[in-house]
Amino acid sequence: MIFFASDVHLASDTPAITARFLSFLERARREAQSVYLLGDIFESWVGDEDLGLKAYKPVFQALKETVQAGVAVYFMAGNRDFMVSDHVLAELGLIRLEDPYILSTTTWQFVLSHGDLYCTGDVPYQKFRARVRDPQTQARFLRLPYWLRRSIATWLRWRSKGRRYDAQTQMMTDVSQGTVEDEARRYGYATLIHGHTHRPATHDLFVDGIHVERWVMADWSADRGEYLTWNDTELSRQSI
C-alpha cells in the first residue's frame, strides 16, 4: 500500500493536527510500504534550528520510527517548507523528491507534485517562488537571527490568512488547465496527484482524446485529515 499526503500544515499552535498526523504515521507503520509527503507538511520552516522545536519532537520521533519500521518515507518541498535541508531529511531518514516526480508502480504511473508549479496564472506568485527558491536568497535569509526568521514566517502566515479571495484571485490561485494538459502530454497521460490549492476533488480530463485523472488532496484541519492510498488497483481517499 502507498500513502500520499500534503498540506498538513503542522504548527506549534495546532496540536489537534499534530495528533492526527501522528495517527496517520501509526497507520502507515501498520499498512504502508511507502509514504509520499507532497509539501506543506509544516506550516513554516525557517532553518535547521526548527529541529529543536518542542512541539515538533513527537512528529520527528514518529517519522524516525516509521522509517525504522521499514516504511520508505519521501518528502517533496512545498511553498511553506521548502527550506527543509538535506541535513534535516537525513536526520529524520526521509528521501527528498524533486517536483514533479514520476512514480511508476507495477500497475500504473503517477505524476506527483506539490501543485504550486501549475498555478501559472498567478504571475506574481511564480516570480516570488523563483526568488525565494534561489540559493543565494536562501543563504541571505539563513544569515538572519533565528528569532527574526521565525518572526518573518509568523507575519507571512498572518498575511496569507488575512488575504481576501475574490473570484479573480480564486481563478489565479488554482492550477492552469492548459499547464495541466501540457503536463499530461509530457508524462504520457499519467494520473496527476497534487495538493497546494486546498480544493480537494477528482477531475476527469480528456487530453488529446485520452482520459486523464487529476487528484487534488485536501488540506488538514483540527477536525479532519485526509490522505490517498494506492493498493495496486485503486486510488482512494481516506480520512483520519
Side-chain angles (χ1 to χ4, degrees):
M1 185 86 73
I2 300 174
F3 286 13
F4 306 91
S6 72
D7 299 280
V8 180
H9 294 284
L10 295 166
S12 298
D13 59 353
T14 56
I17 295 178
T18 298
R20 288 185 183 279
F21 189 64
L22 293 175
S23 295
F24 165 77
L25 291 176
E26 181 182 5
R27 187 176 295 181
R29 289 194 291 273
R30 296 196 310 266
E31 302 176 9
Q33 295 176 321
S34 55
V35 174
Y36 289 82
L37 304 176
L38 302 184
D40 286 4
I41 302 305
F42 299 94
E43 175 68 6
S44 64
W45 191 277
V46 301
D48 289 1
E49 297 94 332
D50 280 350
L51 272 174
L53 288 175
K54 183 178 179 180
Y56 287 169
K57 290 292 185 184
V59 172
F60 299 149
Q61 182 60 36
L63 285 169
K64 291 178 181 179
E65 290 175 358
T66 303
V67 173
Q68 291 166 359
V71 181
V73 182
Y74 299 89
F75 177 86
M76 178 181 289
N79 56 294
R80 301 277 185 163
D81 50 16
F82 60 88
M83 293 288 291
V84 173
S85 69
D86 289 339
H87 167 74
V88 169
L89 295 182
E91 177 71 19
L92 300 177
L94 310 188
I95 304 166
R96 184 183 296 281
L97 298 181
E98 296 302 318
D99 187 356
Y101 176 78
I102 310 306
L103 171 62
S104 296
T105 73
T106 56
T107 54
W108 205 250
Q109 182 165 291
F110 301 93
V111 179
L112 309 181
S113 177
H114 177 58
D116 58 334
L117 277 173
Y118 304 141
C119 300
T120 52
D122 192 346
V123 176
Y125 170 74
Q126 293 300 332
K127 291 181 178 179
F128 173 78
R129 185 185 190 278
R131 186 166 67 251
V132 298
R133 299 290 183 109
D134 179 74
Q136 292 184 352
T137 301
Q138 293 185 14
R140 288 194 295 269
F141 180 73
L142 289 171
R143 285 196 291 268
L144 297 174
Y146 177 68
W147 68 266
L148 181 55
R149 283 179 271 142
R150 178 56 44 203
S151 296
I152 291 170
T154 300
W155 178 77
L156 288 172
R157 182 184 177 194
W158 171 81
R159 189 182 71 167
S160 176
K161 287 188 175 181
R163 186 180 182 186
R164 293 185 62 187
Y165 287 89
D166 55 21
Q168 183 178 3
T169 304
Q170 290 278 359
M171 182 177 65
M172 286 173 52
T173 57
D174 204 352
V175 301
S176 164
Q177 182 77 6
T179 302
V180 168
E181 290 178 359
D182 288 344
E183 198 78 341
R185 295 185 184 98
R186 183 177 297 113
Y187 296 112
Y189 309 97
T191 297
L192 174 60
I193 298 175
H194 71 84
H196 177 67
T197 64
H198 298 187
R199 299 176 174 95
T202 303
H203 300 272
D204 292 297
L205 311 176
F206 286 89
V207 183
D208 304 329
I210 299 173
H211 177 229
V212 178
E213 289 186 341
R214 177 168 71 92
W215 288 65
V216 186
M217 291 184 289
D219 57 312
W220 290 37
S221 68
D223 300 320
R224 188 170 185 268
E226 182 184 279
Y227 63 101
L228 305 182
T229 60
W230 172 252
N231 63 1
D232 286 336
T233 59
E234 183 182 17
L235 195 61
S236 59
R237 297 183 187 272
Q238 310 292 336
S239 61
I240 194 164

